[in-house]
Amino acid sequence: MSLQTDTQSIQAIINALYEAISHKPRKLPDWQRMKPLFIDGARIIPPSLEGGPPQVMTFEEFVERVSESVHKAGEADRGFHERELTNHTEVFGNVAHVWSTYESRYTAEDPEPFSRGINSFQLLYHSGRWWVVTILWDVERPDNAIPERYLP
């Protein structure tokens, strides 16, 4: 896809993010496709599952963290495929908030996901296109079930 296509609508930029982060074993996500989706100063905030403070990252810090993880022994043989199950989008003027329920598998063909959760995307419409400002997410776990209203 082209940058213009990826940023023309809210759903297009969400789709581009899921497609770009997904990758085959021994490959990296499509960082070249993903980087121009983010506005300068954008933040990516993964869940803190150990109870510590959240790690607020720049796009470059996120790339470094994921790239290191992909090259770890044992993990290089696994791919990563994430897809959206459903979303709830609210827009006010040039600001959009998307609650995007997702599932993660090692390959698209895996019978069951190894993880599910909700991505919170904050987007901005500026200069004729949509930009990612923040991605914040949490994962489903026994003490943190996805609410019914966020499931398909």
Side-chain angles (χ1 to χ4, degrees):
M1 291 290 193
S2 71
L3 179 60
Q4 183 177 2
T5 302
D6 284 348
T7 60
Q8 72 181 345
S9 71
I10 293 168
Q11 193 60 55
I13 200 167
I14 299 300
N15 292 344
L17 287 164
Y18 281 115
E19 290 169 13
I21 197 67
S22 297
H23 58 89
K24 295 188 180 300
R26 302 189 181 280
K27 301 289 183 189
L28 290 171
D30 188 346
W31 300 130
Q32 290 184 346
R33 182 179 183 190
M34 190 180 276
K35 183 173 177 41
L37 304 177
F38 290 80
I39 199 161
D40 286 342
R43 294 293 180 251
I44 302 172
I45 309 166
S48 177
L49 301 177
E50 290 81 37
Q55 184 180 4
V56 179
M57 294 182 273
T58 63
F59 178 78
E60 290 76 16
E61 290 167 333
F62 179 72
V63 167
E64 184 177 320
R65 177 179 160 170
V66 171
S67 296
E68 286 175 7
S69 175
V70 167
H71 292 298
K72 280 185 184 173
E75 294 195 26
D77 295 329
R78 293 191 302 206
F80 181 78
H81 179 79
E82 192 166 78
R83 73 179 187 103
E84 182 177 69
L85 300 174
T86 189
N87 75 48
H88 298 274
T89 301
E90 294 186 17
V91 179
F92 176 73
N94 293 318
V95 176
H97 182 229
V98 181
W99 292 103
S100 176
T101 305
Y102 68 87
E103 65 179 18
S104 303
R105 300 169 190 255
Y106 296 117
T107 70
E109 296 77 29
D110 287 351
E112 296 293 325
F114 68 84
S115 180
R116 297 189 324 170
I118 298 178
N119 284 312
S120 170
F121 296 106
Q122 287 74 50
L123 306 172
L124 173 69
Y125 190 80
H126 176 69
S127 299
R129 57 159 287 187
W130 286 98
W131 297 88
V132 177
V133 177
T134 308
I135 303 175
L136 170 68
W137 71 96
D138 206 349
V139 296
E140 185 175 45
R141 49 192 180 276
D143 67 337
N144 192 45
I146 296 174
E148 284 294 319
R149 70 182 180 274
Y150 294 114
L151 292 171

